[in-house]
Amino acid sequence: MLTDIEIAQAAEMKDIREVASKIGADEDGIEMYGKYMAKISDQFIESIKDNKDGKLILVTAINPTPAGEGKTTVTLGLNDALRRLGKKSVVAMREPSLGPCFGIKGGAAGGGYAQAVPMEKLNLHFTGDFHAITSANNLLCAMLDNHLLQGNALNIDPNRVVIKRCLDMNDRALRNIVVGLGKRLDGVVREDHFCITVATEVMAILCLAEDLKDLEERLGKIIVAYNYDNQPVTAADLKAVGAMSVLLKDAIRPNLIQSLENNPVFVHGGPFANIAHGCNSVRATKTALKCADYVVTEAGFGADLGAEKFLDIKCRMAGLTPDAVVLVATARALKYNGGVPKAELSNENVEALEKGICNLGKHIENLQKYGVPIVVTINKFVADTDAEVDAIRKFVESKGCKFTVSEVWAKGGEGGEELAKAVLDTIENIPTNYAPLYSTELSIREKIETISKEIYGAKGVVYSPEAEKAIDRIEAIGYGKTPVCMAKTQYSLSDDQTLLGRPENYDITVREVYVSAGAGFVVAIAGAIMTMPGLPKSPAAERIYIDDEGNTVGLF
């Protein structure tokens, strides 16, 4: 059996200009990055602005497990299936981060015969967007520390700097550091911190900005620190916005690549849904909607994270209305939630599956609260038995949802035709009544508690003293009427990754709260989740190398 990277390396890719023609873009509508990658030009985006919007389909999943759910695989396979059925469709997905590639999760280009290619370039440096975001963020940090050294005219309190430096890599040793050591001209000594690039506010801003002007305005609002008078100091106060925008002027343009079946795939932006809002860029999604009848997009991790933030943050801010949601699950993951060890997941165990299926049930109930029609699909593995599939089918149909089986990993678009037909039928016959879960007029605590109780199933919320003070300060300076972006473990509906299935009778613990003023939301960090991940004991990087023929081995 071929690995994902072997399948990708054997792909017969088309010239990106031929792929671009499928969205109506000629050679002047793209800027090529080699033969198989391109950025969409501002001129093309402007030229299609009056086109009618297509239908928007969100792909999400149950909580991830070590067994893997295949959300991105289904996203790409569904789009290829829609194309096979003669529909004009486009994928809009996120860019992968180097952290998971060299850590534990692997790449984010799909799998099997439902992948985006060129897979190696996509998973590594791609078009340099993440490097640009890293540079812009760290330029702002450098300008802040320089300001402290050069007289501190803004009266910044060095102990109340809130902006963090970043790196697109898992490096736990950088979570808490001291900078400015050495001689006087080496800087002001203070405690500093790093987060991973995808967790930065600059990443969130790039993904939520409508255009370059909006990007500049949002960058200017970034709160970098507080002064001795307890007032926020912004990137605009540091006069950093112009230089940051210059670094990001290419990164804000969506990227275009292709699927294994040579269909157009927009890939742009990449925040993690466990520590950020987890959606691809508004600009990519809106551009896709103008040049296709159907747009298939995804949101990171489980529906309790990515889908909640897609529906409560991205759609609200961008004025988007989703027409259908595809909820992905696997028999293996449901058995894992039912207590089966990873090594035994290939064995039939309907009893354990029925015990763990409560996780799927909670996600269905959550999505139904938003008024968007749902199609549940099982990403089928070879070892899945008819008895297991039938048990899932009966459960899903009892919840009032359509059920399909996807075999896109093994069959590509052909294996997704059943799902594609179900999605089309749903869109044509069931109207969407999308509405966010909560009003932004609620207090920060009320919004946190609404998400925690309604989506996670918690009975209450416990705040650390630091979080309590931060909420009061954020509301006092006028940022209380924004959406809330929750950061928590992806492995459980709760903030404790060991609580599988459908946890009940527990409290969510919020330990930290801060405002991302430029992004336009408040971040609440729950449990032990870190914004700078660490590498596992045996990271994937140990098994990645270049062979004698120059091929990358072990990437995914």
Side-chain angles (χ1 to χ4, degrees), residues 303-322:
D304 56 320
L305 290 168
E308 185 273 314
K309 294 168 185 179
F310 177 87
L311 296 164
D312 281 324
I313 297 177
K314 179 177 177 178
C315 288
R316 188 202 307 261
M317 287 188 180
L320 298 170
T321 300

Side-chain angles (χ1 to χ4, degrees), residues 53-70:
D53 284 341
K55 301 293 186 180
L56 183 59
I57 303 159
L58 171 67
V59 179
T60 185
I62 63 173
N63 291 102
T65 70
E69 282 58 63

Side-chain angles (χ1 to χ4, degrees), residues 56 60 126 147 182 206 231 280 290 308 329 388 423 428 432 434 446 448 466 471 480 487 495 529 533 555:
L56 183 59
T60 185
F126 199 31
H147 184 89
L206 182 100
Q231 296 301 306
N280 78 300
K290 293 296 184 183
E308 185 273 314
E388 290 172 338
V423 170
E428 290 167 6
T432 180
Y434 159 72
E446 288 173 322
I448 291 173
E466 293 79 11
I471 290 171
D495 58 353
I529 193 72
L555 182 60

Side-chain angles (χ1 to χ4, degrees), residues 193-207:
H193 311 272
F194 269 77
C195 63
I196 194 166
T197 297
V198 288
T200 62
E201 186 173 357
V202 178
M203 172 67 81
I205 287 171
L206 182 100
C207 289

Side-chain angles (χ1 to χ4, degrees), residues 154-213:
L154 293 172
N155 203 30
I156 294 170
D157 182 351
N159 294 313
R160 297 192 65 196
V161 172
V162 293
I163 186 77
K164 296 180 180 180
R165 287 174 160 82
C166 71
L167 186 70
D168 189 32
M169 197 63 65
N170 293 359
D171 193 348
R172 61 168 56 85
L174 294 177
R175 286 175 184 162
N176 304 292
I177 61 172
V178 176
V179 297
L181 295 174
K183 299 179 181 179
R184 191 191 74 83
L185 292 180
D186 293 327
V188 174
V189 177
R190 66 177 184 86
E191 182 180 346
D192 202 359
H193 311 272
F194 269 77
C195 63
I196 194 166
T197 297
V198 288
T200 62
E201 186 173 357
V202 178
M203 172 67 81
I205 287 171
L206 182 100
C207 289
L208 292 168
E210 297 277 352
D211 50 34
L212 187 59
K213 184 175 184 295

Side-chain angles (χ1 to χ4, degrees), residues 74 78 326 375-377 404-406 408 415-424:
V74 171
L78 170 57
V326 174
V375 177
V376 177
T377 191
T404 68
V405 176
S406 298
V408 296
E417 289 187 17
E418 179 188 340
L419 171 60
K421 290 174 182 177
V423 170
L424 291 171

Side-chain angles (χ1 to χ4, degrees), residues 438-452 461 463 467-486 510 512-516 521-525:
Y438 56 82
S439 167
T440 54
E441 292 301 309
L442 296 176
S443 70
I444 293 174
R445 288 177 180 83
E446 288 173 322
K447 284 175 283 198
I448 291 173
E449 287 160 17
T450 298
I451 296 169
S452 298
V461 180
Y463 299 92
E468 292 274 17
K469 291 177 183 176
I471 290 171
D472 293 340
R473 181 171 65 248
I474 291 166
E475 291 183 333
I477 61 176
Y479 288 104
K481 306 300 183 183
T482 68
V484 168
C485 181
M486 296 289 291
V510 174
E512 182 181 352
V513 179
Y514 60 88
V515 61
S516 290
F521 53 65
V522 168
V523 178
I525 298 180

Side-chain angles (χ1 to χ4, degrees), residues 207-504:
C207 289
L208 292 168
E210 297 277 352
D211 50 34
L212 187 59
K213 184 175 184 295
D214 187 26
L215 177 83
E216 291 175 334
E217 291 176 355
R218 288 173 176 271
L219 290 174
K221 296 176 183 177
I222 295 175
I223 296 174
V224 297
Y226 291 86
N227 63 22
Y228 285 108
D229 297 322
N230 204 31
Q231 296 301 306
V233 178
T234 66
D237 294 328
L238 287 171
K239 302 178 182 177
V241 176
M244 293 173 72
S245 300
V246 168
L247 287 171
L248 296 169
K249 69 181 181 67
D250 292 324
I252 194 176
R253 292 187 285 125
N255 306 293
L256 178 68
I257 53 174
Q258 61 193 284
S259 69
L260 288 177
E261 298 185 16
N262 311 120
N263 294 316
V265 177
F266 286 4
V267 189
H268 196 218
F272 292 170
N274 58 348
I275 51 179
H277 77 284
C279 306
N280 78 300
S281 77
V282 166
R283 206 165 191 223
T285 301
K286 286 195 168 184
T287 301
L289 286 167
K290 293 296 184 183
C291 59
D293 296 326
Y294 299 91
V295 173
V296 185
T297 191
E298 64 168 349
F301 293 123
D304 56 320
L305 290 168
E308 185 273 314
K309 294 168 185 179
F310 177 87
L311 296 164
D312 281 324
I313 297 177
K314 179 177 177 178
C315 288
R316 188 202 307 261
M317 287 188 180
L320 298 170
T321 300
D323 296 281
V325 175
V326 174
L327 178 58
V328 181
T330 65
R332 294 161 61 86
L334 295 176
K335 287 186 284 188
Y336 184 84
N337 272 280
V340 176
K342 182 180 178 182
E344 300 175 16
L345 292 175
S346 294
N347 301 329
E348 181 181 283
N349 192 330
V350 176
E351 183 180 355
L353 185 150
E354 290 177 338
K355 180 181 178 183
I357 207 167
C358 57
N359 185 267
L360 172 59
K362 176 59 175 165
H363 287 295
I364 291 173
E365 292 170 21
N366 287 348
L367 291 170
Q368 288 173 333
K369 295 174 182 180
Y370 291 93
V372 183
I374 305 163
V375 177
V376 177
T377 191
I378 295 301
N379 185 24
K380 194 172 188 299
F381 287 71
V382 175
D384 295 351
T385 68
D386 291 343
E388 290 172 338
V389 173
D390 286 344
I392 301 169
R393 183 188 302 275
K394 290 176 183 176
F395 178 83
V396 170
E397 291 176 349
S398 74
K399 293 288 185 178
C401 296
K402 290 187 178 181
F403 174 85
T404 68
V405 176
S406 298
E407 298 183 84
V408 296
W409 187 91
K411 300 179 181 179
E414 179 187 356
E417 289 187 17
E418 179 188 340
L419 171 60
K421 290 174 182 177
V423 170
L424 291 171
D425 181 67
T426 297
I427 291 174
E428 290 167 6
N429 293 295
I430 305 176
T432 180
N433 294 305
Y434 159 72
L437 182 69
Y438 56 82
S439 167
T440 54
E441 292 301 309
L442 296 176
S443 70
I444 293 174
R445 288 177 180 83
E446 288 173 322
K447 284 175 283 198
I448 291 173
E449 287 160 17
T450 298
I451 296 169
S452 298
K453 293 177 180 178
E454 294 292 325
I455 302 300
Y456 306 154
K459 65 180 177 64
V461 180
V462 175
Y463 299 92
S464 72
E466 293 79 11
E468 292 274 17
K469 291 177 183 176
I471 290 171
D472 293 340
R473 181 171 65 248
I474 291 166
E475 291 183 333
I477 61 176
Y479 288 104
K481 306 300 183 183
T482 68
V484 168
C485 181
M486 296 289 291
K488 73 167 186 70
T489 180
Q490 65 270 30
Y491 297 114
S492 171
L493 284 160
S494 73
D495 58 353
D496 179 351
Q497 66 176 22
T498 66
L499 298 180
L500 302 181
R502 183 174 181 165
E504 295 178 332

